[in-house]
Amino acid sequence: MKKLALILLLFGLCAHNLKAEEPKQSNTTVSFNQLLGQLVASSLGNINIPEPVLDKDAQAAINADDRYWVTVLASDKYERTKLLDAGMDIVEVKKDKVSGFVNKKTLDTLSEKGFVVESKMTMAQYVQQFGKDFPAADSAYHNYKETTDLLKTLASNNSTIASLFSIGKTIEGRDIWCLRINTNAKGEGASTKPGAVFIGNHHAREHLSNEVPLLFASWLFDHKGDADVKKYIDSLDIYIIPMLNPDGVEYDIKTGKYQWQRKNMRVNSDKSIGVDLNRNYDSWFGGEGASHSPNSDTYCGPSAFSEPETTAIKKFVLARKNLKTLNSYHSYADTIMYPWGGKDGPIDSDKDKQVFIKMANEMAKDTGYTAEQSNEMYIATGDACDWAYDVAKIFAFTTELGGNSFYPGAGIIAKTVTDNIKAAVYMLSMTENPYKTIN
């Protein structure tokens, strides 16, 4: 997927724009600057790479997709929540309307429920108008194998402080890889150091959410000699799980056209595909903002933790009482959000609320995003961060990365990664004792 020869040739042209000096590398070493250089090179507008040609089966699959892209009038979070309950996958939120995906059955019921559908187009029309080809147009993004290979290389090249292990397997049997940074504990070994977790790709089509934690890992290793970074590496237990939903990721890119796949690859009782992993946690499971229709993009599943991917996170979190902070990356709304998302109201602890607000605001300053409580957008139950705070009192945040589409192109990756590094480092700085933000 990577055009390595082209990238290496062009890297010298763009390296002067990078702040950090490129260290000498062995043949198997990959630095953050090299990775960033790949992203810059792959997004240069004068590179002509032929696009893939869809075969008849791939085109037929797009034509058979019964989803619609719709814009519906909705003036507040309560109306948006009702749309989620009805089965709409809300993608874009504006002052008095929302846009997103619905299947035909849901579309047929919206008017009956009092909603005004301002516009609609079939999935085939939407893909024709807005779709991006893959992999040629966006080849800088890491697929599952490339992500796995990079994680293995990073762990091997930094073996004194890093290790790689699987937290479980997906519905299709892929390993869910976790890179651990700890100076005296490896793999699944216990640690008493305060822990921080970074998770990407709950949702398959949000490929940018894999790149941010993945490249942040590389940045940490490149800067492990810096005084502040060294302090965090020495004193913390850092976990990076960049791709929680690799089955969905691979499905989303396999035909040469994005499939707009949000869910995992569970075959449901009605033969539809997928459960929304970020509605499958046991935080008011199956309540507001979660659909019980299997063919909905926000289908919560038959029961909490019915999916191996979310069960893997459950086991991971419950086995590590030292975890203090968590960041779950998504796209695309330019926001830093904190609990509750599945409950209409603030968390009970005023002290914890102050910590959440302070940390979210600081990370928002670093990224240029907006800080808000998750339920300000809409109420959605079964969320990972709600569950992590509810059961383990982890200060858990949802970072909705920037952009104007799930598929914003390769050109946005470098800026998004660099914008989010400072926020991630800030979270590390608070992990030992999040309450120091308000002391």
Side-chain angles (χ1 to χ4, degrees), residues 87-163:
M88 182 175 178
D89 174 13
I90 295 176
V91 175
E92 296 177 357
V93 177
K94 296 183 180 179
K95 183 178 180 181
D96 59 352
K97 65 184 69 175
V98 296
S99 298
F101 297 110
V102 296
N103 57 46
K104 186 179 186 305
K105 182 179 179 181
T106 298
L107 178 61
D108 292 341
T109 65
L110 289 182
S111 295
E112 298 173 8
K113 295 181 178 181
F115 291 105
V116 176
V117 178
E118 188 176 71
S119 64
K120 66 180 180 180
M121 64 177 73
T122 66
M123 195 65 181
Q125 291 171 329
Y126 184 79
V127 170
Q128 181 67 32
Q129 184 170 344
F130 298 109
K132 288 181 178 293
D133 288 325
F134 193 95
D138 289 346
S139 62
Y141 288 89
H142 291 79
N143 64 19
Y144 176 66
K145 182 181 184 303
E146 291 165 345
T147 297
T148 301
D149 289 346
L150 179 54
L151 289 172
K152 289 179 178 179
T153 298
L154 292 173
S156 175
N157 290 345
N158 300 276
S159 58
T160 58
I161 59 172
S163 56

Side-chain angles (χ1 to χ4, degrees), residues 178-417:
C178 176
L179 181 71
R180 184 182 191 183
I181 304 174
N182 190 310
T183 55
N184 56 16
K186 303 294 183 184
E188 298 183 76
S191 176
T192 58
K193 295 179 179 181
V197 189
F198 300 87
I199 305 174
N201 258 145
H202 265 86
H203 295 140
R205 64 195 177 197
E206 297 171 14
H207 301 284
L208 193 58
S209 72
N210 176 60
E211 301 302 317
V212 170
L214 181 63
L215 271 68
F216 177 55
S218 178
W219 185 91
L220 285 173
F221 293 129
D222 274 17
H223 292 266
K224 62 187 177 184
D226 297 358
D228 57 341
V229 177
K230 183 178 186 303
K231 178 177 68 175
Y232 304 141
I233 291 175
D234 288 345
S235 62
L236 300 178
D237 193 18
I238 304 169
Y239 297 92
I240 297 173
I241 306 169
M243 190 179 286
L244 181 62
N245 185 9
D247 295 351
V249 168
E250 291 300 291
Y251 174 77
D252 193 51
I253 65 177
K254 72 176 184 177
T255 68
K257 278 282 190 182
Y258 287 125
Q259 300 299 301
W260 307 89
Q261 178 71 8
R262 173 182 172 95
K263 302 184 287 183
N264 74 349
M265 295 303 292
R266 163 80 66 186
V267 179
N268 297 317
S269 57
D270 65 351
K271 306 305 179 184
S272 64
I273 300 297
V275 168
D276 183 346
L277 297 181
N278 212 36
R279 298 291 189 275
N280 191 240
Y281 290 85
D282 193 12
S283 55
W284 305 287
F285 172 80
E288 290 185 279
S291 174
H292 290 271
S293 175
N295 61 2
S296 168
D297 275 343
T298 56
Y299 175 49
C300 60
S303 60
F305 295 114
S306 61
E307 305 312 295
E309 296 89 350
T310 54
T311 297
I313 294 295
K314 176 184 178 180
K315 291 179 178 178
F316 174 87
V317 168
L318 295 182
R320 291 164 178 81
K321 305 300 183 185
N322 62 322
L323 298 179
K324 302 297 182 184
T325 58
L326 182 151
N327 202 331
S328 177
Y329 293 100
H330 292 259
S331 68
Y332 57 98
D334 301 282
T335 55
I336 309 287
M337 300 188 292
Y338 54 90
W340 302 121
K343 185 177 180 181
D344 187 18
I347 59 176
D348 294 334
S349 169
D350 187 64
K351 185 177 181 181
D352 286 3
K353 181 177 71 173
Q354 291 181 51
V355 172
F356 273 119
I357 292 172
K358 177 66 174 177
M359 289 185 64
N361 282 328
E362 289 300 319
M363 289 190 284
K365 289 177 185 177
D366 292 337
T367 56
Y369 300 161
T370 299
E372 65 181 28
Q373 191 175 0
S374 293
N375 60 25
E376 287 302 306
M377 185 177 293
Y378 45 63
I379 300 169
T381 53
D383 170 75
C385 292
D386 276 5
W387 176 81
Y389 175 68
D390 188 34
V391 303
K393 289 297 175 281
I394 297 170
F395 286 94
F397 299 86
T398 298
T399 295
E400 286 274 357
L401 301 166
N404 58 4
S405 166
F406 290 120
Y407 308 118
I412 197 174
I413 307 176
K415 182 180 186 304
T416 303
V417 168

